[in-house]
Amino acid sequence: MNGTVYVTRRAHFSASHRLFDPSFSDERNAEIFGGCSNPNGHGHNYTIEVTVAGPPDPATGFVVDLKRVKQVLQERFLAFVDHRNLNVDVPFLRGVNPTTENIAVAAWRQLAPHIPAGTLHSVRIFETENNFVEYKGE
Ligand code: NI
């Protein structure tokens, strides 16, 4: 009998953003969002980790073929966000304040339909080395 094994693919992307609520003043946004609310934006070197989970397939020994996860991550997420402005360039973030939390939820929604059903376990986004969020689906 095979127990659950967790398999993770990691990738990096660079992007700019500004965190703000357009209905607030610049001062109020600065109080809430700090340096991430600087009006002209700034960049982060992000890391994303996509974890799939399940019993290894008895034939292949794989939970999910990681080549598939790598390809889906590239085509459905990284191609849209790498070297982009997250406030304006990314269709699936339109109208969304690009906090790390919201990026993780959006990444999950981009990836889940293209990864074998029920195997996507978590999406982690690191905005800095020390700050990261994790999303495990709705
Ligand atoms: Ni920021």
Side-chain angles (χ1 to χ4, degrees):
M1 190 175 104
N2 286 326
T4 300
V5 179
Y6 298 81
V7 182
T8 300
R9 172 74 189 179
R10 179 184 296 143
H12 303 283
F13 62 99
S14 299
S16 65
H17 75 170
R18 180 195 179 200
L19 300 184
F20 71 112
D21 181 324
S23 70
F24 295 160
S25 66
D26 283 352
E27 293 71 24
R28 180 86 177 113
N29 277 308
E31 276 175 34
I32 298 172
F33 299 112
C36 273
S37 186
N38 288 339
N40 292 328
H42 60 280
H44 291 283
N45 294 316
Y46 291 94
T47 297
I48 181 169
E49 292 179 353
V50 177
T51 299
V52 293
D57 182 300
T60 63
F62 294 157
V63 175
V64 174
D65 185 349
L66 267 191
K67 289 195 302 296
R68 173 85 185 133
V69 176
K70 176 186 176 183
Q71 180 186 15
V72 169
L73 181 55
Q74 177 59 42
E75 293 176 358
R76 304 288 172 173
F77 183 74
L78 297 173
F80 292 96
V81 297
D82 192 30
H83 288 74
R84 302 303 173 100
N85 180 325
L86 301 180
N87 293 90
V88 296
D89 291 333
V90 183
F92 57 78
L93 290 174
R94 204 146 282 156
V96 173
N97 198 23
T99 62
T100 318
E101 290 87 335
N102 285 337
I103 298 167
V105 172
W108 176 286
R109 290 177 180 165
Q110 281 294 111
L111 302 175
H114 306 284
I115 288 175
T119 61
L120 183 57
H121 172 72
S122 65
V123 171
R124 276 193 214 99
I125 307 268
F126 293 72
E127 189 177 80
T128 68
E129 195 180 336
N130 295 323
N131 294 345
F132 71 97
V133 309
E134 183 173 42
Y135 185 59
K136 294 183 173 178
E138 347 279 328

